[in-house]
Amino acid sequence: MSKLYTDIHTDVLVIGTGAAGCRAAIAAADAGASVILIAKGAVGRSGTTPLAEVVYSAALGHADPRDNPEVHFQDTIRYGRFLGNQTLARVMCYGGPQSVLDADRYGMPWYKTKDGKYVQLPSPGHTYDRGVHNDEKTGRMLLWALLKEVRKHSGIRVIDDLFVTRLLTNGSHVIGAFAMNMKSPGYVALTANGTILATGGAGVMYQVNDMDAGSTGDGMVMGFRVGAPLISAEMHQFFPTGFVYPQSLGGTSVATSALWTRGLKLYNNLGERFMERYFPVEKENVPRDDLSRSIFLEIMEGRGTEHGGVWLATADVDDFERIKYDRHRSYIWPLRFGVDTSYFEVAPTYHFTLGGLVFDERAQTPVPGLLIAGEVGGGTHGANRIAGNALTECMVFGAISGDTAAELRANRRLEVSETEAADEIKRIESFRSEKNGMRPIQLRRKLQQTMYRQVGLVREAKGIRSALETIQSMRTEELPKMCVQSTASFDVEWMEAIEFDFMLELAEISARAALMREESRGAHYRLDYRQSDNARWLRNTVSVRKGNDIQLSTVPVEASYIALPS
């Protein structure tokens, strides 16, 4: 009997072609490994990296010579509300300057002064101006530079439109991944001595988000299913200001963080500059978790706009007239869509997945053969991420994961279990059925609404428990009846059905962790526990899979470098 899939072997397999994945592939290839780099969609046109608009944080000290990686590290821990893994955060901050130079070497057109210094922008939460950038195209231009470097390496094979559905194992080791070919019907088993997950976050799990459509938590759940723990699964960051009207631009961010230091103001439907009530001194110039929560509370208490937001006013931004009409360098993103006004209706939009798979300073998970790069990993930022640290994390740990994975290469082939492959084919084809239930997009929207309203920016026990009941009902009643109408190639609805299964499992884990943390800290705000509880909760939640069950526990934060508050 012939196989139902194609075998491909490589030294290092990288899943995800954003900044983290590309940097990992480059590092592994530079170390002499053969690399396969695969994308869920089209290479260079999918993933969240191109949506990273402006700042990339690195303590180069070009804007202010007092800045250095130690200050960057302290800012990261402090504004992560002391929940971050201090070892990981320190590696990221100290590796930031070199990562900027690496990108420069690959052709990244950073903005520089005439004397060759990097232009560095301010952002809330940073002691000094340290946001290197290429105006509002930083993520897109960084990915362009990385892909150009990838293509220079003959040892890197790039494959797009491969949807990974499962990690392959040999006993306790990960030995690669199983994937669907979206271009032409068929399956692929990719084996590797080192497998790097660079699959990004899970923002599509929420109704209002500004992430790529493929950010459905695939990598987190696949890692979880082979035994890798998830840390801080309750922590989800919201960007303060995304469109709520017009509806066609829902979730699109309105203004870069750099402008909060230059005069952006927020008003409620009574015309009050309400941030003066929450933060009398800083007003709008506060970290994202504080700003997002303040906006959300204002809306919840009935002082929101007609479409469920607040007013963002840009008229008092320094040098606004120049910014307004210089549309290629505006930082006021709606101008690109023809929305030309000084007031916008905005509300918090899901922006970054703070929790993720556990990994160490060598980018290794506790599961041998499985490594992490970028947003799919958890612990680096703690309970809040300050602006610009996402791209820094991708580049620093991308490089580390590639180096580590290259050390695992060997001259032996890894055999795929025929039983494991057959089980996976049977599982994913079970979704491909025209039953009498709801379509995947309908179920996705139901889950998104549930998570945004009950396990979103502001939570309480009653709502979280209601969300868990809905999730359980969807799993037992609606998922088995889901209707999928398949096509011969690029079977998008089939892919959406499998993605929904990933999202549903991650939603349950997130909700359980949110119910467990009985305090408010950073991105996690409980109406029934409004204060931070340092005595009980300077701890991270950890979720592990035992058979078909999810088990939760907590581990204390280690004060490896910075003392924890009492």
Side-chain angles (χ1 to χ4, degrees), residues 77-201:
I77 295 300
R78 181 169 67 254
Y79 287 106
R81 311 308 176 191
F82 294 93
L83 209 63
N85 182 308
Q86 294 190 11
T87 299
L88 297 180
R90 202 164 194 269
V91 168
M92 176 185 71
C93 295
Y94 274 78
Q98 181 58 52
S99 72
V100 171
L101 300 179
D102 290 342
D104 208 339
R105 192 171 70 251
Y106 302 149
M108 172 66 186
W110 300 113
Y111 276 22
K112 298 180 182 179
T113 62
K114 291 181 180 179
D115 59 356
K117 290 187 175 181
Y118 294 90
V119 174
Q120 297 191 272
L121 297 174
S123 290
H126 292 276
T127 300
Y128 302 108
D129 299 358
R130 61 171 69 102
V132 295
H133 68 110
N134 181 285
D135 200 57
E136 59 184 33
K137 305 183 297 294
T138 302
R140 194 169 1 131
M141 298 306 291
L142 176 64
L143 186 58
W144 171 83
L146 288 165
L147 285 171
K148 186 175 72 170
E149 183 67 18
V150 162
R151 293 184 180 105
K152 292 179 181 178
H153 286 73
S154 59
I156 301 176
R157 179 183 175 186
V158 181
I159 309 174
D160 58 4
D161 295 308
L162 274 187
F163 176 30
V164 175
T165 64
R166 177 176 182 152
L167 294 173
L168 296 172
T169 57
N170 181 359
S172 61
H173 285 64
V174 167
I175 60 166
F178 198 80
M180 295 165 50
N181 188 336
M182 297 301 295
K183 286 182 179 177
S184 57
Y187 301 105
V188 182
L190 302 111
T191 54
N193 295 100
T195 299
I196 301 172
L197 284 173
T199 50

Side-chain angles (χ1 to χ4, degrees), residues 215-282:
S215 300
T216 51
D218 307 1
M220 295 177 187
V221 177
M222 287 189 291
F224 182 75
R225 288 175 177 175
V226 296
L230 282 164
I231 190 167
S232 299
E234 74 276 20
M235 294 296 177
H236 300 274
Q237 185 182 57
F238 286 72
F239 190 83
T241 52
F243 267 118
V244 292
Y245 185 81
Q247 190 175 3
S248 60
L249 296 177
T252 304
S253 299
V254 174
T256 170
S257 298
L259 288 187
W260 293 111
T261 64
R262 297 175 62 178
L264 284 181
K265 295 178 181 178
L266 292 168
Y267 296 91
N268 60 23
N269 65 2
L270 302 177
E272 299 169 334
R273 189 181 178 191
F274 60 88
M275 288 304 297
E276 293 178 336
R277 184 166 61 254
Y278 295 100
F279 294 92
V281 177
E282 300 93 340

Side-chain angles (χ1 to χ4, degrees), residues 253-472:
S253 299
V254 174
T256 170
S257 298
L259 288 187
W260 293 111
T261 64
R262 297 175 62 178
L264 284 181
K265 295 178 181 178
L266 292 168
Y267 296 91
N268 60 23
N269 65 2
L270 302 177
E272 299 169 334
R273 189 181 178 191
F274 60 88
M275 288 304 297
E276 293 178 336
R277 184 166 61 254
Y278 295 100
F279 294 92
V281 177
E282 300 93 340
K283 301 179 180 65
E284 290 84 5
N285 189 23
V286 293
R288 289 171 175 173
D289 59 340
D290 288 327
L291 190 59
S292 297
R293 183 172 61 253
S294 301
I295 294 170
F296 203 87
L297 288 171
E298 199 71 11
I299 296 166
M300 284 183 64
E301 292 171 4
R303 296 184 293 274
T305 61
E306 177 186 356
H307 300 98
V310 297
W311 292 110
L312 173 70
T314 61
D316 292 332
V317 172
D318 293 344
D319 202 12
F320 178 69
E321 288 304 310
R322 180 190 64 78
I323 290 172
K324 181 177 179 180
Y325 292 107
D326 185 358
R327 299 190 178 211
H328 295 291
R329 302 190 57 195
S330 68
Y331 305 120
I332 306 293
W333 299 329
L335 297 180
R336 292 178 295 171
F337 301 104
V339 182
D340 197 351
T341 178
S342 295
Y343 286 87
F344 305 98
E345 284 188 78
V346 300
T349 180
Y350 189 104
H351 188 63
F352 189 85
T353 309
L354 293 161
L357 294 168
V358 170
F359 69 105
D360 64 16
E361 65 272 22
R362 293 277 291 153
Q364 300 169 115
T365 72
V367 180
L370 182 63
L371 301 97
I372 292 298
E375 194 174 352
V376 68
T380 306
H381 307 285
N384 180 49
R385 178 182 65 81
I386 52 178
N389 273 1
L391 291 175
T392 313
E393 178 185 34
C394 287
M395 289 289 285
V396 171
F397 285 105
I400 291 171
S401 67
D403 286 338
T404 304
E407 295 173 3
L408 302 176
R409 68 184 186 274
N411 293 321
R412 60 187 177 89
R413 290 186 64 85
L414 303 168
E415 296 299 324
V416 177
S417 164
E418 292 293 324
T419 300
E420 187 176 14
D423 287 347
E424 181 60 4
I425 291 172
K426 181 180 179 180
R427 185 187 77 87
I428 60 181
E429 289 196 347
S430 70
F431 292 106
R432 200 178 191 179
S433 174
E434 294 189 26
K435 298 177 183 177
N436 59 356
M438 297 172 71
R439 305 290 284 274
I441 190 65
Q442 293 172 306
L443 290 172
R444 174 182 291 199
R445 287 171 182 162
K446 182 177 179 179
L447 178 64
Q448 289 172 326
Q449 290 170 0
T450 298
M451 293 300 290
Y452 189 77
R453 295 171 183 173
Q454 298 179 323
V455 200
L457 196 57
V458 175
R459 304 115 176 240
E460 60 182 332
K462 180 180 178 181
I464 299 170
R465 290 193 179 101
S466 175
L468 283 167
E469 290 175 3
T470 300
I471 290 166
Q472 184 60 31

